[in-house]
Amino acid sequence: MSLKFNEEVLDLLNAQANHELMTSNTYLAMANWFQLHSFPGSDHWMKVQSAEERAHALKLFEYIGKRNGTSSITGSAGITLDTWDSPNKIWEEVVALEEATTKSILAIMDKAKEVNDHATLAFLNWFIEEQVEEEDTVGEINDKVKAMAKIHGLYYHIDHELGHRKASI
């Protein structure tokens, strides 16, 4: 096996790492929104999630380096807190972010498979397992948030639950 990357695979891996950084920043902005609206559990959950996304980016950059590839970090657009007007809108966006992450990782796998980059395929298996867990978790939270939105004030119950999340990195 050659350690040299196919340029398209390398570009996709760099794009994924930058997507993870953007997602990390988005989760930090969401944490700030929750903090400003007195939801400490959701604030905590988003900060833990932000750290996980950053760790994913670092894992990708480390892999690129091990394969003698060059990492590239691109700028990230600013996120304004007036993007969201409710916990429901935030959790809907969280689901969309995780689905976009899964789609992006699958595209890298497809390209790696096409060019017989078995090392990248093996490396990305961990990310696929992680995304299955992530989509399940945020989908469940989003379902609860939607159900609780029908009765004003019930979001505080799920907020309390989210505050017990432990960091996994």
Side-chain angles (χ1 to χ4, degrees):
M1 168 182 77
S2 170
L3 289 180
K4 186 163 175 54
F5 273 113
N6 169 281
E7 285 301 314
E8 289 178 83
V9 171
L10 178 59
D11 289 346
L12 288 169
L13 286 166
N14 271 309
Q16 182 63 36
N18 282 284
H19 172 79
E20 300 283 352
L21 291 173
M22 179 276 303
T23 302
S24 174
N25 288 339
T26 301
Y27 285 135
L28 279 178
M30 291 171 172
N32 187 240
W33 188 94
F34 281 120
Q35 180 184 31
L36 290 171
H37 291 86
S38 300
F39 293 114
S42 300
D43 170 42
H44 169 76
W45 194 97
M46 291 295 173
K47 286 176 180 169
V48 171
Q49 191 65 22
S50 174
E52 280 191 13
E53 300 302 328
R54 184 177 179 278
H56 296 168
L58 295 175
K59 187 175 184 126
L60 286 156
F61 287 136
E62 183 177 321
Y63 174 72
I64 291 168
K66 284 182 180 179
R67 294 275 311 271
N68 298 319
T70 301
S71 296
S72 87
I73 299 175
T74 59
S76 142
I79 303 161
T80 61
L81 298 185
D82 61 2
T83 301
W84 310 289
D85 61 5
S86 70
N88 301 51
K89 296 292 184 194
I90 289 177
W91 287 104
E92 288 171 3
E93 184 169 340
V94 168
V95 169
L97 280 169
E98 293 301 336
E99 288 173 347
T101 298
T102 300
K103 184 177 178 181
S104 178
I105 292 166
L106 291 173
I108 302 167
M109 290 190 85
D110 288 345
K111 179 50 76 175
K113 187 175 184 180
E114 178 185 316
V115 299
N116 295 316
D117 184 345
H118 302 287
T120 296
L121 286 169
F123 170 74
L124 290 175
N125 280 330
W126 179 88
F127 283 90
I128 293 298
E129 290 174 16
E130 178 73 7
Q131 283 311 116
V132 168
E133 180 184 319
E134 295 290 342
E135 284 194 32
D136 181 55
T137 299
V138 300
E140 185 178 301
I141 293 168
N142 190 45
D143 288 345
K144 287 180 183 179
V145 170
K146 284 193 286 190
M148 289 182 174
K150 296 174 182 158
I151 302 172
H152 184 70
L154 277 184
Y155 186 77
Y156 288 100
H157 293 286
I158 194 168
D159 181 68
H160 178 74
E161 182 182 319
L162 293 170
H164 296 290
R165 180 179 184 192
K166 304 265 189 273
S168 64
I169 56 170

